Amino acid sequence: MADQEFESVVTDEMRAMIGVKGEETISELTTTSVRMFARSVGYVDPAFYDEEVARERGFRSLPAPPGYLGTPIFNPAESDATFGGRRGAGGFRSPYPLVLNGGTDIEYTGEQICAGDTLTSATALASLQERWSGALGVPMLIQVSETTYTNQHGQVVAVSRGTGISYPAPGS
Amino acid sequence: MSDAVPDQIYFEDIEVGDNIPELEKSPTSQQLVQWAAGSGDFYQIHYDTSYAQDTGLDDIIVHGALKHAFLGELLWRFAGPEGQVKRVQCSYRGMDPAAQGRESAQEKKFTLRGTVTRKYSEGERNFVELNIEGVRADGSVSTPGTGVVVLPSRG
């Protein structure tokens, strides 16, 4: 079946943002933050809770479980209450109001990420795609953002790609 | 309860097509609140039923990134104490509910599975690629993905 025709919402200005890195975010990993993340996933491996076990296993301190890339330094005076980033930070904003998380892809370089590390990250829009959603009966904008994480020694430790799907309210 | 630290598996012991040990989760509202604190994602659709319903959802849903982290734990356990998780990728194809109130957590069982699709070596490092997925209690797959781990060699 041919895609239903719809009007594109992607402007030249939006396309120009592809590949342009936004402002940097500083995130910290501490022993407590690693334990909190590990507990919330349900890990029972003592390497995430006991520094002695972590060191015996060859880690500098408690290792970051997969998916944990630090907690952004926050200050409620200027941080977003929901996601913790800086309020009003730049970056791509979809013209559609409703957003779904489409997927997560994190690739590690192999450098250890442990409690005590400070990661600096910057996000760039990687791609924009428009598609008709047969299920919702609305057009969707699919944006992929790529974030590179660098540790306090200047080593890239991970690259994450997040897919966001935004769309207008059905029936609007 | 599975072993805290599974026995080490070696690159030579793996064949394409092997299913890796499954991991079972039963996300509850308590776990979603722990995740909100652990990850820093305080979006209300994950812990406030009225808020979730106001956005058109039936009820609170499991965070996508928590499902990604569950798949990360599946691979962490497979890679073992001497292995490494290299990549965790997944798509969120559907919402997953969390157990609330007196509801049995088992009813919201969420199983993580993986199958080896490729193995190869680059220099001294041995890589294993997998198809991975998060499966609901009714058997439907809400969270398909792929993963890569580095495994030690017996050699």
Side-chain angles (χ1 to χ4, degrees), chain A residues 87-131:
Chain A
R87 272 203 303 270
F92 179 78
R93 288 275 180 279
S94 171
Y96 292 136
L98 303 176
V99 182
L100 288 172
N101 189 348
T104 307
D105 180 5
I106 303 181
E107 199 168 356
Y108 296 92
T109 60
E111 297 295 338
Q112 284 186 11
I113 307 171
C114 292
D117 287 353
T118 300
L119 304 183
T120 302
S121 63
T123 301
L125 182 65
S127 66
L128 283 175
Q129 250 194 315
E130 290 179 282
R131 259 190 13 215

Side-chain angles (χ1 to χ4, degrees), chain A residues 36-37 39-46 48 57 59 66 81-83 100-108 110 161, chain B residues 4-5 25 31 34-35 37-38 40-43 68 70 72-73 76 81 84-92 95:
Chain A
M36 281 176 67
F37 188 97
R39 176 182 66 180
S40 74
V41 181
Y43 277 100
V44 289
D45 188 334
F48 296 117
R57 295 257 291 269
F59 295 105
T82 302
F83 297 112
L100 288 172
N101 189 348
T104 307
D105 180 5
I106 303 181
E107 199 168 356
Y108 296 92
R161 286 171 208 91
Chain B
V5 184
K25 297 289 182 181
Q31 182 165 25
Q34 288 181 333
W35 172 263
D41 176 349
F42 292 98
Y43 192 18
H68 178 267
F70 285 160
E73 184 183 0
W76 174 273
Q84 243 181 37
V85 176
K86 191 81 178 70
R87 185 172 192 171
V88 186
Q89 173 274 325
C90 67
S91 300
Y92 309 120
M95 316 281 182

Side-chain angles (χ1 to χ4, degrees), chain A residues 25-54:
Chain A
T25 299
I26 311 287
S27 300
E28 289 175 328
L29 292 89
T30 66
T31 48
T32 302
S33 75
V34 167
R35 288 189 190 105
M36 281 176 67
F37 188 97
R39 176 182 66 180
S40 74
V41 181
Y43 277 100
V44 289
D45 188 334
F48 296 117
Y49 305 100
D50 184 330
E51 283 192 272
E52 203 173 311
V53 172

Side-chain angles (χ1 to χ4, degrees), chain B residues 6 9 17 22 28 35 44 52 58-60 69 85 98-99 109 116 133 137 140 146:
Chain B
I9 197 156
E22 293 182 358
T28 59
W35 172 263
Q44 296 92 325
D58 291 336
D59 210 326
I60 60 167
V85 176
K109 190 175 73 161
V116 175
E133 56 189 13
S140 57
T146 58

